[in-house]
Amino acid sequence: MLNKHRLSFDALITREDASPKPSAKPLIVASELLGINRENLISVGDYKYDLIASRKAGIRSILVTHEGNQEYQNLADWRVSSLREIIKILTPAPG
């Protein structure tokens, strides 16, 4: 499927590699594979288990909001309604 859609990732973690979220293990494994400190990572998700796993791993999180995730939006560091909004979060302010 990755080849068919011409997708590539620097790290791909599946349930065979680590316990599923809300375990922090998938995010910790990804940070180790990438060689990036968790303090320098941001996770993106749309469900509470994404946010819980991020917190457990010490990684900041972005929640992509929708009608079904209103109750746990307060767990996210940032909230966006579309993936395009993430660019604003990742782009440093001038100066």
Side-chain angles (χ1 to χ4, degrees):
M1 178 174 285
L2 295 176
N3 289 334
K4 177 182 176 183
H5 295 287
R6 297 183 183 157
L7 299 173
S8 74
F9 298 94
D10 293 327
L12 182 63
I13 311 302
T14 68
R15 290 176 185 246
E16 287 79 31
D17 301 309
S19 304
K21 296 176 280 184
S23 167
K25 192 68 176 170
L27 297 172
I28 293 168
V29 170
S31 74
E32 291 170 351
L33 285 173
L34 295 168
I36 300 173
N37 291 329
R38 287 180 268 156
E39 302 83 36
N40 296 321
L41 293 175
I42 298 174
S43 73
V44 179
D46 70 343
Y47 192 60
K48 66 182 172 184
Y49 292 151
D50 301 314
L51 303 174
I52 293 168
S54 295
R55 287 248 169 140
K56 287 180 178 179
I59 295 173
R60 293 172 291 169
S61 62
I62 298 173
L63 177 70
V64 181
T65 60
H66 55 73
E67 288 183 23
N69 65 15
Q70 302 291 321
E71 67 186 74
Y72 44 85
Q73 288 187 13
N74 63 324
L75 296 175
D77 295 289
W78 295 277
R79 288 161 291 289
V80 298
S81 58
S82 76
L83 293 175
R84 293 177 195 257
E85 293 177 52
I86 295 172
I87 295 168
K88 294 176 190 171
I89 294 168
L90 300 178
T91 303

